[in-house]
Amino acid sequence: MPAKNTLLPSAKLFAFALCFAINTSQAQSTLPTSKPETEGIPAAAIDSFLTAVGQSKHEFHSFMMLRHGKVVAQGWWNPYEAKLRHTLYSCSKSFTSTAIGFAVSEKRLTVNDKVVSFFPDKLPDTIPAHLAALTVKDLLTMSVGQEQDPTFAVASTQEDWVKGFLALPIANKPGTKFLYNSLATFMLSAIVQKVTGQKEVDYLKPRLFEPLGIKGQDWEVNKQGINTGGWGLRVQTEALAKMGQLYLQKGKWQGKQVLPAAWVEEATTAKIDQAPGAPQSKKDSSDWMQGYCYQFWRCRNNAFRADGAFGQYIVVMPDQDAVIAITSESPDMQGELNLVWKYLLPAMQPKPLPANASADKNLDTHLANLKLAPLSGSDKGTFNQNFTVKPNLLNIKAIGINIKDGICHISLKKDAETYNLDFATGKWLPGETAMQGPGIVNGAKEDFSILQPYKIVGSYAFTEGKELQLKLRYIESPHTETIICKFDGKNLTADVGFSYTYGKDHITLQGELAE
């Protein structure tokens, strides 16, 4: 789901799972590996890319680069690590498109089938002409014809999303006007479940995940047990790289045609112009104006991609025979792609390059030391106070703070539950919690139980101004929460900020020392 459809975050505070960086020498991938120079890439160019990332406003969590089907570089920014899944947001859409492709190949449906034909029991009493004309292809190409993306309005207020979608007015002739629409992708997921009798995550398991050796995936569901489709898939970074390689190889995997080549071609060629009438100069600088496919985007440089909010990417580059997978949290997704085009694209040469052991070693060292720094500072010795909290948007009723032996223990009472979270100073302290973390779909009427327990890491520090800072990373999502506690006699003010708002919004809790 795009960030413009942000749903209000619900209450959260966490702690997390300690991880470490991975490099090519650690052999974490089941994909074949190779030295960059062997595949025609100077290791120094990848090193420069990583340096530019570190100096940018983009917070990367993982990166994998494949050339000629082999991993030439891979790294995870501590505390993220290879074995962890990562929330994909709208990068999930390309997997939903793939599920439709399998269903088409098995003759369970066609892209020209009418959407109303799948849900006769969900239709409004009167079926308008545009709704009657709406096809699977219109869902795939984000050309439903609605005036506004209905995702927020339906997902946050209704439990039957199918019925809610079908009741919406369609102002434009389907297939004629692009409008990003995550609920349209949910409808594709609902169609897959309708024609197969399986959730799409289960339908894809023997067709996509198992053939590619992808394990541990899960996918959020709505209250009716349908995978959300347009968001909510969690997989490891390697799964993204494998998905990209499958599409680069036109559906083949280890010599077997897993997905029909004709579908790969159909799904990754432009079907609709996102911005007709936009000046060519604007199109030339944007990877969001190169044409939309079947839940894939065309890119500049004859590439195509799956992408999700905050920079979850599968970039497929046929001309270079390369795939790049990225998970991150970025305020500027175009800026992330610009780094790929600036540093990695021109580095790829048509033939192998001379070996360069020194450059390879430098790159391996860089990859092995990727990290996101924890909070560090005075641990303030022993501290033990409990506060009752005034009514607030997060429904936090009480906060207990206990610091001893370099560990800050936070106790949060929320509604009828109490959550205990631990933080360390100068390092990330791993943990798990049942408390939901921040996210842009938290306001949706979903069953979030499949995400539990949430993997978390936490760090804390006291500033010179006597403020207690707490940082909580939700390491199977892109997001982080920061809490700044200020003490004034018997009073506590705690400002809670969510990373995806980039400092623009926070929620303030007011507490009073408990008797």
Side-chain angles (χ1 to χ4, degrees), residues 284-306:
D284 289 345
S285 62
S286 173
D287 285 291
W288 276 261
M289 295 185 184
Q290 305 304 310
Y292 196 74
C293 316
Y294 286 174
Q295 309 285 293
F296 285 89
W297 300 79
R298 293 298 304 180
C299 301
R300 293 175 293 171
N301 305 301
N302 196 36
F304 62 90
R305 73 185 186 281

mmCIF file with all atom_site columns, all heavy atoms in Angstrom, residues 284-306:
data_model
loop_
_atom_site.group_PDB
_atom_site.id
_atom_site.type_symbol
_atom_site.label_atom_id
_atom_site.label_alt_id
_atom_site.label_comp_id
_atom_site.label_asym_id
_atom_site.label_entity_id
_atom_site.label_seq_id
_atom_site.pdbx_PDB_ins_code
_atom_site.Cartn_x
_atom_site.Cartn_y
_atom_site.Cartn_z
_atom_site.occupancy
_atom_site.B_iso_or_equiv
_atom_site.pdbx_formal_charge
_atom_site.auth_seq_id
_atom_site.auth_comp_id
_atom_site.auth_asym_id
_atom_site.auth_atom_id
_atom_site.pdbx_PDB_model_num
ATOM 1   N N   . ASP A 1 284 ? 11.367 11.308 -18.149 1.00 0.00 ? 284 ASP A N   1
ATOM 2   C CA  . ASP A 1 284 ? 12.754 10.843 -18.254 1.00 0.00 ? 284 ASP A CA  1
ATOM 3   C C   . ASP A 1 284 ? 13.437 10.734 -16.900 1.00 0.00 ? 284 ASP A C   1
ATOM 4   O O   . ASP A 1 284 ? 14.426 10.002 -16.758 1.00 0.00 ? 284 ASP A O   1
ATOM 5   C CB  . ASP A 1 284 ? 13.556 11.794 -19.155 1.00 0.00 ? 284 ASP A CB  1
ATOM 6   C CG  . ASP A 1 284 ? 13.167 11.681 -20.618 1.00 0.00 ? 284 ASP A CG  1
ATOM 7   O OD1 . ASP A 1 284 ? 12.501 10.686 -20.979 1.00 0.00 ? 284 ASP A OD1 1
ATOM 8   O OD2 . ASP A 1 284 ? 13.523 12.586 -21.392 1.00 0.00 ? 284 ASP A OD2 1
ATOM 9   N N   . SER A 1 285 ? 12.928 11.435 -15.903 1.00 0.00 ? 285 SER A N   1
ATOM 10  C CA  . SER A 1 285 ? 13.570 11.422 -14.584 1.00 0.00 ? 285 SER A CA  1
ATOM 11  C C   . SER A 1 285 ? 12.810 10.568 -13.571 1.00 0.00 ? 285 SER A C   1
ATOM 12  O O   . SER A 1 285 ? 13.201 10.509 -12.405 1.00 0.00 ? 285 SER A O   1
ATOM 13  C CB  . SER A 1 285 ? 13.701 12.851 -14.041 1.00 0.00 ? 285 SER A CB  1
ATOM 14  O OG  . SER A 1 285 ? 12.425 13.440 -13.859 1.00 0.00 ? 285 SER A OG  1
ATOM 15  N N   . SER A 1 286 ? 11.748 9.910  -14.006 1.00 0.00 ? 286 SER A N   1
ATOM 16  C CA  . SER A 1 286 ? 10.896 9.179  -13.072 1.00 0.00 ? 286 SER A CA  1
ATOM 17  C C   . SER A 1 286 ? 10.791 7.709  -13.437 1.00 0.00 ? 286 SER A C   1
ATOM 18  O O   . SER A 1 286 ? 10.516 7.364  -14.589 1.00 0.00 ? 286 SER A O   1
ATOM 19  C CB  . SER A 1 286 ? 9.493  9.788  -13.043 1.00 0.00 ? 286 SER A CB  1
ATOM 20  O OG  . SER A 1 286 ? 8.615  8.990  -12.266 1.00 0.00 ? 286 SER A OG  1
ATOM 21  N N   . ASP A 1 287 ? 10.954 6.850  -12.439 1.00 0.00 ? 287 ASP A N   1
ATOM 22  C CA  . ASP A 1 287 ? 10.722 5.424  -12.634 1.00 0.00 ? 287 ASP A CA  1
ATOM 23  C C   . ASP A 1 287 ? 9.270  5.049  -12.346 1.00 0.00 ? 287 ASP A C   1
ATOM 24  O O   . ASP A 1 287 ? 8.924  3.864  -12.343 1.00 0.00 ? 287 ASP A O   1
ATOM 25  C CB  . ASP A 1 287 ? 11.666 4.613  -11.741 1.00 0.00 ? 287 ASP A CB  1
ATOM 26  C CG  . ASP A 1 287 ? 13.079 4.600  -12.283 1.00 0.00 ? 287 ASP A CG  1
ATOM 27  O OD1 . ASP A 1 287 ? 13.289 3.969  -13.330 1.00 0.00 ? 287 ASP A OD1 1
ATOM 28  O OD2 . ASP A 1 287 ? 13.962 5.219  -11.676 1.00 0.00 ? 287 ASP A OD2 1
ATOM 29  N N   . TRP A 1 288 ? 8.427  6.046  -12.125 1.00 0.00 ? 288 TRP A N   1
ATOM 30  C CA  . TRP A 1 288 ? 6.997  5.808  -11.917 1.00 0.00 ? 288 TRP A CA  1
ATOM 31  C C   . TRP A 1 288 ? 6.176  6.272  -13.117 1.00 0.00 ? 288 TRP A C   1
ATOM 32  O O   . TRP A 1 288 ? 4.956  6.294  -13.057 1.00 0.00 ? 288 TRP A O   1
ATOM 33  C CB  . TRP A 1 288 ? 6.527  6.514  -10.644 1.00 0.00 ? 288 TRP A CB  1
ATOM 34  C CG  . TRP A 1 288 ? 6.783  5.674  -9.430  1.00 0.00 ? 288 TRP A CG  1
ATOM 35  C CD1 . TRP A 1 288 ? 5.878  4.883  -8.782  1.00 0.00 ? 288 TRP A CD1 1
ATOM 36  C CD2 . TRP A 1 288 ? 8.015  5.499  -8.744  1.00 0.00 ? 288 TRP A CD2 1
ATOM 37  N NE1 . TRP A 1 288 ? 6.479  4.220  -7.736  1.00 0.00 ? 288 TRP A NE1 1
ATOM 38  C CE2 . TRP A 1 288 ? 7.797  4.585  -7.680  1.00 0.00 ? 288 TRP A CE2 1
ATOM 39  C CE3 . TRP A 1 288 ? 9.307  6.011  -8.909  1.00 0.00 ? 288 TRP A CE3 1
ATOM 40  C CZ2 . TRP A 1 288 ? 8.796  4.174  -6.799  1.00 0.00 ? 288 TRP A CZ2 1
ATOM 41  C CZ3 . TRP A 1 288 ? 10.310 5.612  -8.034  1.00 0.00 ? 288 TRP A CZ3 1
ATOM 42  C CH2 . TRP A 1 288 ? 10.052 4.716  -6.999  1.00 0.00 ? 288 TRP A CH2 1
ATOM 43  N N   . MET A 1 289 ? 6.843  6.600  -14.206 1.00 0.00 ? 289 MET A N   1
ATOM 44  C CA  . MET A 1 289 ? 6.133  7.043  -15.410 1.00 0.00 ? 289 MET A CA  1
ATOM 45  C C   . MET A 1 289 ? 6.617  6.302  -16.647 1.00 0.00 ? 289 MET A C   1
ATOM 46  O O   . MET A 1 289 ? 6.621  6.842  -17.749 1.00 0.00 ? 289 MET A O   1
ATOM 47  C CB  . MET A 1 289 ? 6.318  8.556  -15.608 1.00 0.00 ? 289 MET A CB  1
ATOM 48  C CG  . MET A 1 289 ? 5.697  9.400  -14.531 1.00 0.00 ? 289 MET A CG  1
ATOM 49  S SD  . MET A 1 289 ? 5.838  11.163 -14.902 1.00 0.00 ? 289 MET A SD  1
ATOM 50  C CE  . MET A 1 289 ? 5.126  11.877 -13.418 1.00 0.00 ? 289 MET A CE  1
ATOM 51  N N   . GLN A 1 290 ? 7.029  5.065  -16.468 1.00 0.00 ? 290 GLN A N   1
ATOM 52  C CA  . GLN A 1 290 ? 7.549  4.277  -17.592 1.00 0.00 ? 290 GLN A CA  1
ATOM 53  C C   . GLN A 1 290 ? 6.543  3.243  -18.087 1.00 0.00 ? 290 GLN A C   1
ATOM 54  O O   . GLN A 1 290 ? 6.842  2.452  -18.981 1.00 0.00 ? 290 GLN A O   1
ATOM 55  C CB  . GLN A 1 290 ? 8.840  3.570  -17.169 1.00 0.00 ? 290 GLN A CB  1
ATOM 56  C CG  . GLN A 1 290 ? 9.914  4.497  -16.626 1.00 0.00 ? 290 GLN A CG  1
ATOM 57  C CD  . GLN A 1 290 ? 10.282 5.600  -17.600 1.00 0.00 ? 290 GLN A CD  1
ATOM 58  O OE1 . GLN A 1 290 ? 10.560 5.332  -18.768 1.00 0.00 ? 290 GLN A OE1 1
ATOM 59  N NE2 . GLN A 1 290 ? 10.271 6.840  -17.124 1.00 0.00 ? 290 GLN A NE2 1
ATOM 60  N N   . GLY A 1 291 ? 5.352  3.244  -17.516 1.00 0.00 ? 291 GLY A N   1
ATOM 61  C CA  . GLY A 1 291 ? 4.320  2.285  -17.888 1.00 0.00 ? 291 GLY A CA  1
ATOM 62  C C   . GLY A 1 291 ? 4.107  1.256  -16.790 1.00 0.00 ? 291 GLY A C   1
ATOM 63  O O   . GLY A 1 291 ? 5.052  0.811  -16.137 1.00 0.00 ? 291 GLY A O   1
ATOM 64  N N   . TYR A 1 292 ? 2.847  0.901  -16.574 1.00 0.00 ? 292 TYR A N   1
ATOM 65  C CA  . TYR A 1 292 ? 2.497  -0.106 -15.573 1.00 0.00 ? 292 TYR A CA  1
ATOM 66  C C   . TYR A 1 292 ? 2.090  -1.385 -16.283 1.00 0.00 ? 292 TYR A C   1
ATOM 67  O O   . TYR A 1 292 ? 1.472  -1.368 -17.339 1.00 0.00 ? 292 TYR A O   1
ATOM 68  C CB  . TYR A 1 292 ? 1.357  0.395  -14.679 1.00 0.00 ? 292 TYR A CB  1
ATOM 69  C CG  . TYR A 1 292 ? 1.195  -0.411 -13.410 1.00 0.00 ? 292 TYR A CG  1
ATOM 70  C CD1 . TYR A 1 292 ? 2.099  -0.280 -12.367 1.00 0.00 ? 292 TYR A CD1 1
ATOM 71  C CD2 . TYR A 1 292 ? 0.136  -1.301 -13.250 1.00 0.00 ? 292 TYR A CD2 1
ATOM 72  C CE1 . TYR A 1 292 ? 1.968  -1.014 -11.196 1.00 0.00 ? 292 TYR A CE1 1
ATOM 73  C CE2 . TYR A 1 292 ? -0.014 -2.035 -12.082 1.00 0.00 ? 292 TYR A CE2 1
ATOM 74  C CZ  . TYR A 1 292 ? 0.906  -1.893 -11.060 1.00 0.00 ? 292 TYR A CZ  1
ATOM 75  O OH  . TYR A 1 292 ? 0.785  -2.631 -9.906  1.00 0.00 ? 292 TYR A OH  1
ATOM 76  N N   . CYS A 1 293 ? 2.435  -2.516 -15.652 1.00 0.00 ? 293 CYS A N   1
ATOM 77  C CA  . CYS A 1 293 ? 2.223  -3.821 -16.281 1.00 0.00 ? 293 CYS A CA  1
ATOM 78  C C   . CYS A 1 293 ? 1.130  -4.569 -15.517 1.00 0.00 ? 293 CYS A C   1
ATOM 79  O O   . CYS A 1 293 ? 0.118  -3.988 -15.173 1.00 0.00 ? 293 CYS A O   1
ATOM 80  C CB  . CYS A 1 293 ? 3.540  -4.599 -16.295 1.00 0.00 ? 293 CYS A CB  1
ATOM 81  S SG  . CYS A 1 293 ? 4.985  -3.624 -16.786 1.00 0.00 ? 293 CYS A SG  1
ATOM 82  N N   . TYR A 1 294 ? 1.342  -5.839 -15.259 1.00 0.00 ? 294 TYR A N   1
ATOM 83  C CA  . TYR A 1 294 ? 0.438  -6.609 -14.410 1.00 0.00 ? 294 TYR A CA  1
ATOM 84  C C   . TYR A 1 294 ? 1.030  -6.657 -13.003 1.00 0.00 ? 294 TYR A C   1
ATOM 85  O O   . TYR A 1 294 ? 1.697  -7.609 -12.619 1.00 0.00 ? 294 TYR A O   1
ATOM 86  C CB  . TYR A 1 294 ? 0.273  -8.033 -14.930 1.00 0.00 ? 294 TYR A CB  1
ATOM 87  C CG  . TYR A 1 294 ? -0.571 -8.207 -16.166 1.00 0.00 ? 294 TYR A CG  1
ATOM 88  C CD1 . TYR A 1 294 ? -0.663 -9.458 -16.780 1.00 0.00 ? 294 TYR A CD1 1
ATOM 89  C CD2 . TYR A 1 294 ? -1.292 -7.157 -16.732 1.00 0.00 ? 294 TYR A CD2 1
ATOM 90  C CE1 . TYR A 1 294 ? -1.442 -9.647 -17.909 1.00 0.00 ? 294 TYR A CE1 1
ATOM 91  C CE2 . TYR A 1 294 ? -2.057 -7.336 -17.871 1.00 0.00 ? 294 TYR A CE2 1
ATOM 92  C CZ  . TYR A 1 294 ? -2.129 -8.593 -18.446 1.00 0.00 ? 294 TYR A CZ  1
ATOM 93  O OH  . TYR A 1 294 ? -2.897 -8.787 -19.568 1.00 0.00 ? 294 TYR A OH  1
ATOM 94  N N   . GLN A 1 295 ? 0.838  -5.588 -12.238 1.00 0.00 ? 295 GLN A N   1
ATOM 95  C CA  . GLN A 1 295 ? 1.352  -5.494 -10.875 1.00 0.00 ? 295 GLN A CA  1
ATOM 96  C C   . GLN A 1 295 ? 2.888  -5.464 -10.832 1.00 0.00 ? 295 GLN A C   1
ATOM 97  O O   . GLN A 1 295 ? 3.502  -5.761 -9.810  1.00 0.00 ? 295 GLN A O   1
ATOM 98  C CB  . GLN A 1 295 ? 0.823  -6.638 -10.004 1.00 0.00 ? 295 GLN A CB  1
ATOM 99  C CG  . GLN A 1 295 ? -0.685 -6.808 -10.055 1.00 0.00 ? 295 GLN A CG  1
ATOM 100 C CD  . GLN A 1 295 ? -1.445 -5.749 -9.278  1.00 0.00 ? 295 GLN A CD  1
ATOM 101 O OE1 . GLN A 1 295 ? -1.357 -5.690 -8.059  1.00 0.00 ? 295 GLN A OE1 1
ATOM 102 N NE2 . GLN A 1 295 ? -2.214 -4.916 -9.980  1.00 0.00 ? 295 GLN A NE2 1
ATOM 103 N N   . PHE A 1 296 ? 3.487  -5.136 -11.917 1.00 0.00 ? 296 PHE A N   1
ATOM 104 C CA  . PHE A 1 296 ? 4.906  -4.788 -12.025 1.00 0.00 ? 296 PHE A CA  1
ATOM 105 C C   . PHE A 1 296 ? 4.986  -3.390 -12.631 1.00 0.00 ? 296 PHE A C   1
ATOM 106 O O   . PHE A 1 296 ? 4.080  -2.954 -13.346 1.00 0.00 ? 296 PHE A O   1
ATOM 107 C CB  . PHE A 1 296 ? 5.675  -5.747 -12.951 1.00 0.00 ? 296 PHE A CB  1
ATOM 108 C CG  . PHE A 1 296 ? 5.966  -7.096 -12.370 1.00 0.00 ? 296 PHE A CG  1
ATOM 109 C CD1 . PHE A 1 296 ? 5.058  -8.139 -12.518 1.00 0.00 ? 296 PHE A CD1 1
ATOM 110 C CD2 . PHE A 1 296 ? 7.154  -7.346 -11.693 1.00 0.00 ? 296 PHE A CD2 1
ATOM 111 C CE1 . PHE A 1 296 ? 5.326  -9.399 -11.999 1.00 0.00 ? 296 PHE A CE1 1
ATOM 112 C CE2 . PHE A 1 296 ? 7.432  -8.599 -11.170 1.00 0.00 ? 296 PHE A CE2 1
ATOM 113 C CZ  . PHE A 1 296 ? 6.517  -9.631 -11.321 1.00 0.00 ? 296 PHE A CZ  1
ATOM 114 N N   . TRP A 1 297 ? 6.086  -2.699 -12.337 1.00 0.00 ? 297 TRP A N   1
ATOM 115 C CA  . TRP A 1 297 ? 6.356  -1.387 -12.911 1.00 0.00 ? 297 TRP A CA  1
ATOM 116 C C   . TRP A 1 297 ? 7.476  -1.503 -13.946 1.00 0.00 ? 297 TRP A C   1
ATOM 117 O O   . TRP A 1 297 ? 8.468  -2.194 -13.711 1.00 0.00 ? 297 TRP A O   1
ATOM 118 C CB  . TRP A 1 297 ? 6.831  -0.405 -11.834 1.00 0.00 ? 297 TRP A CB  1
ATOM 119 C CG  . TRP A 1 297 ? 5.883  -0.151 -10.712 1.00 0.00 ? 297 TRP A CG  1
ATOM 120 C CD1 . TRP A 1 297 ? 5.653  -0.951 -9.621  1.00 0.00 ? 297 TRP A CD1 1
ATOM 121 C CD2 . TRP A 1 297 ? 5.054  1.000  -10.534 1.00 0.00 ? 297 TRP A CD2 1
ATOM 122 N NE1 . TRP A 1 297 ? 4.738  -0.370 -8.790  1.00 0.00 ? 297 TRP A NE1 1
ATOM 123 C CE2 . TRP A 1 297 ? 4.356  0.829  -9.316  1.00 0.00 ? 297 TRP A CE2 1
ATOM 124 C CE3 . TRP A 1 297 ? 4.852  2.166  -11.275 1.00 0.00 ? 297 TRP A CE3 1
ATOM 125 C CZ2 . TRP A 1 297 ? 3.452  1.776  -8.830  1.00 0.00 ? 297 TRP A CZ2 1
ATOM 126 C CZ3 . TRP A 1 297 ? 3.959  3.116  -10.792 1.00 0.00 ? 297 TRP A CZ3 1
ATOM 127 C CH2 . TRP A 1 297 ? 3.271  2.918  -9.583  1.00 0.00 ? 297 TRP A CH2 1
ATOM 128 N N   . ARG A 1 298 ? 7.343  -0.802 -15.033 1.00 0.00 ? 298 ARG A N   1
ATOM 129 C CA  . ARG A 1 298 ? 8.486  -0.619 -15.919 1.00 0.00 ? 298 ARG A CA  1
ATOM 130 C C   . ARG A 1 298 ? 9.403  0.441  -15.311 1.00 0.00 ? 298 ARG A C   1
ATOM 131 O O   . ARG A 1 298 ? 8.952  1.374  -14.636 1.00 0.00 ? 298 ARG A O   1
ATOM 132 C CB  . ARG A 1 298 ? 8.047  -0.152 -17.317 1.00 0.00 ? 298 ARG A CB  1
ATOM 133 C CG  . ARG A 1 298 ? 7.259  -1.169 -18.112 1.00 0.00 ? 298 ARG A CG  1
ATOM 134 C CD  . ARG A 1 298 ? 8.024  -2.428 -18.413 1.00 0.00 ? 298 ARG A CD  1
ATOM 135 N NE  . ARG A 1 298 ? 9.285  -2.182 -19.097 1.00 0.00 ? 298 ARG A NE  1
ATOM 136 C CZ  . ARG A 1 298 ? 10.135 -3.144 -19.468 1.00 0.00 ? 298 ARG A CZ  1
ATOM 137 N NH1 . ARG A 1 298 ? 9.858  -4.414 -19.183 1.00 0.00 ? 298 ARG A NH1 1
ATOM 138 N NH2 . ARG A 1 298 ? 11.247 -2.856 -20.091 1.00 0.00 ? 298 ARG A NH2 1
ATOM 139 N N   . CYS A 1 299 ? 10.705 0.272  -15.527 1.00 0.00 ? 299 CYS A N   1
ATOM 140 C CA  . CYS A 1 299 ? 11.708 1.237  -15.052 1.00 0.00 ? 299 CYS A CA  1
ATOM 141 C C   . CYS A 1 299 ? 12.400 1.879  -16.247 1.00 0.00 ? 299 CYS A C   1
ATOM 142 O O   . CYS A 1 299 ? 12.308 1.407  -17.383 1.00 0.00 ? 299 CYS A O   1
ATOM 143 C CB  . CYS A 1 299 ? 12.784 0.539  -14.218 1.00 0.00 ? 299 CYS A CB  1
ATOM 144 S SG  . CYS A 1 299 ? 12.220 -0.330 -12.773 1.00 0.00 ? 299 CYS A SG  1
ATOM 145 N N   . ARG A 1 300 ? 13.147 2.899  -15.956 1.00 0.00 ? 300 ARG A N   1
ATOM 146 C CA  . ARG A 1 300 ? 14.095 3.405  -16.946 1.00 0.00 ? 300 ARG A CA  1
ATOM 147 C C   . ARG A 1 300 ? 15.143 2.326  -17.221 1.00 0.00 ? 300 ARG A C   1
ATOM 148 O O   . ARG A 1 300 ? 15.242 1.338  -16.497 1.00 0.00 ? 300 ARG A O   1
ATOM 149 C CB  . ARG A 1 300 ? 14.762 4.678  -16.428 1.00 0.00 ? 300 ARG A CB  1
ATOM 150 C CG  . ARG A 1 300 ? 13.794 5.864  -16.304 1.00 0.00 ? 300 ARG A CG  1
ATOM 151 C CD  . ARG A 1 300 ? 14.458 7.065  -15.684 1.00 0.00 ? 300 ARG A CD  1
ATOM 152 N NE  . ARG A 1 300 ? 14.804 6.830  -14.287 1.00 0.00 ? 300 ARG A NE  1
ATOM 153 C CZ  . ARG A 1 300 ? 15.550 7.659  -13.565 1.00 0.00 ? 300 ARG A CZ  1
ATOM 154 N NH1 . ARG A 1 300 ? 16.053 8.759  -14.113 1.00 0.00 ? 300 ARG A NH1 1
ATOM 155 N NH2 . ARG A 1 300 ? 15.814 7.393  -12.305 1.00 0.00 ? 300 ARG A NH2 1
ATOM 156 N N   . ASN A 1 301 ? 15.912 2.503  -18.258 1.00 0.00 ? 301 ASN A N   1
ATOM 157 C CA  . ASN A 1 301 ? 17.002 1.584  -18.608 1.00 0.00 ? 301 ASN A CA  1
ATOM 158 C C   . ASN A 1 301 ? 16.485 0.192  -18.976 1.00 0.00 ? 301 ASN A C   1
ATOM 159 O O   . ASN A 1 301 ? 17.172 -0.813 -18.792 1.00 0.00 ? 301 ASN A O   1
ATOM 160 C CB  . ASN A 1 301 ? 18.018 1.498  -17.456 1.00 0.00 ? 301 ASN A CB  1
ATOM 161 C CG  . ASN A 1 301 ? 18.549 2.861  -17.063 1.00 0.00 ? 301 ASN A CG  1
ATOM 162 O OD1 . ASN A 1 301 ? 19.134 3.566  -17.884 1.00 0.00 ? 301 ASN A OD1 1
ATOM 163 N ND2 . ASN A 1 301 ? 18.324 3.266  -15.810 1.00 0.00 ? 301 ASN A ND2 1
ATOM 164 N N   . ASN A 1 302 ? 15.252 0.143  -19.494 1.00 0.00 ? 302 ASN A N   1
ATOM 165 C CA  . ASN A 1 302 ? 14.645 -1.105 -19.965 1.00 0.00 ? 302 ASN A CA  1
ATOM 166 C C   . ASN A 1 302 ? 14.566 -2.164 -18.873 1.00 0.00 ? 302 ASN A C   1
ATOM 167 O O   . ASN A 1 302 ? 14.620 -3.361 -19.136 1.00 0.00 ? 302 ASN A O   1
ATOM 168 C CB  . ASN A 1 302 ? 15.398 -1.664 -21.181 1.00 0.00 ? 302 ASN A CB  1
ATOM 169 C CG  . ASN A 1 302 ? 14.577 -2.708 -21.921 1.00 0.00 ? 302 ASN A CG  1
ATOM 170 O OD1 . ASN A 1 302 ? 13.360 -2.596 -22.020 1.00 0.00 ? 302 ASN A OD1 1
ATOM 171 N ND2 . ASN A 1 302 ? 15.236 -3.739 -22.424 1.00 0.00 ? 302 ASN A ND2 1
ATOM 172 N N   . ALA A 1 303 ? 14.423 -1.736 -17.653 1.00 0.00 ? 303 ALA A N   1
ATOM 173 C CA  . ALA A 1 303 ? 14.271 -2.666 -16.531 1.00 0.00 ? 303 ALA A CA  1
ATOM 174 C C   . ALA A 1 303 ? 12.807 -2.699 -16.111 1.00 0.00 ? 303 ALA A C   1
ATOM 175 O O   . ALA A 1 303 ? 11.979 -1.908 -16.577 1.00 0.00 ? 303 ALA A O   1
ATOM 176 C CB  . ALA A 1 303 ? 15.154 -2.237 -15.366 1.00 0.00 ? 303 ALA A CB  1
ATOM 177 N N   . PHE A 1 304 ? 12.474 -3.633 -15.218 1.00 0.00 ? 304 PHE A N   1
ATOM 178 C CA  . PHE A 1 304 ? 11.155 -3.648 -14.596 1.00 0.00 ? 304 PHE A CA  1
ATOM 179 C C   . PHE A 1 304 ? 11.335 -4.053 -13.137 1.00 0.00 ? 304 PHE A C   1
ATOM 180 O O   . PHE A 1 304 ? 12.387 -4.559 -12.752 1.00 0.00 ? 304 PHE A O   1
ATOM 181 C CB  . PHE A 1 304 ? 10.167 -4.558 -15.333 1.00 0.00 ? 304 PHE A CB  1
ATOM 182 C CG  . PHE A 1 304 ? 10.541 -6.017 -15.368 1.00 0.00 ? 304 PHE A CG  1
ATOM 183 C CD1 . PHE A 1 304 ? 10.132 -6.900 -14.372 1.00 0.00 ? 304 PHE A CD1 1
ATOM 184 C CD2 . PHE A 1 304 ? 11.291 -6.526 -16.431 1.00 0.00 ? 304 PHE A CD2 1
ATOM 185 C CE1 . PHE A 1 304 ? 10.468 -8.246 -14.422 1.00 0.00 ? 304 PHE A CE1 1
ATOM 186 C CE2 . PHE A 1 304 ? 11.623 -7.869 -16.486 1.00 0.00 ? 304 PHE A CE2 1
ATOM 187 C CZ  . PHE A 1 304 ? 11.217 -8.741 -15.479 1.00 0.00 ? 304 PHE A CZ  1
ATOM 188 N N   . ARG A 1 305 ? 10.298 -3.820 -12.348 1.00 0.00 ? 305 ARG A N   1
ATOM 189 C CA  . ARG A 1 305 ? 10.478 -4.048 -10.914 1.00 0.00 ? 305 ARG A CA  1
ATOM 190 C C   . ARG A 1 305 ? 9.161  -4.369 -10.215 1.00 0.00 ? 305 ARG A C   1
ATOM 191 O O   . ARG A 1 305 ? 8.080  -3.989 -10.672 1.00 0.00 ? 305 ARG A O   1
ATOM 192 C CB  . ARG A 1 305 ? 11.104 -2.824 -10.244 1.00 0.00 ? 305 ARG A CB  1
ATOM 193 C CG  . ARG A 1 305 ? 10.157 -1.649 -10.091 1.00 0.00 ? 305 ARG A CG  1
ATOM 194 C CD  . ARG A 1 305 ? 10.840 -0.417 -9.533  1.00 0.00 ? 305 ARG A CD  1
ATOM 195 N NE  . ARG A 1 305 ? 9.903  0.679  -9.263  1.00 0.00 ? 305 ARG A NE  1
ATOM 196 C CZ  . ARG A 1 305 ? 9.413  1.488  -10.173 1.00 0.00 ? 305 ARG A CZ  1
ATOM 197 N NH1 . ARG A 1 305 ? 9.777  1.375  -11.452 1.00 0.00 ? 305 ARG A NH1 1
ATOM 198 N NH2 . ARG A 1 305 ? 8.558  2.449  -9.842  1.00 0.00 ? 305 ARG A NH2 1
ATOM 199 N N   . ALA A 1 306 ? 9.299  -5.025 -9.079  1.00 0.00 ? 306 ALA A N   1
ATOM 200 C CA  . ALA A 1 306 ? 8.283  -5.056 -8.033  1.00 0.00 ? 306 ALA A CA  1
ATOM 201 C C   . ALA A 1 306 ? 8.730  -4.051 -6.991  1.00 0.00 ? 306 ALA A C   1
ATOM 202 O O   . ALA A 1 306 ? 9.920  -3.960 -6.690  1.00 0.00 ? 306 ALA A O   1
ATOM 203 C CB  . ALA A 1 306 ? 8.199  -6.454 -7.428  1.00 0.00 ? 306 ALA A CB  1
#
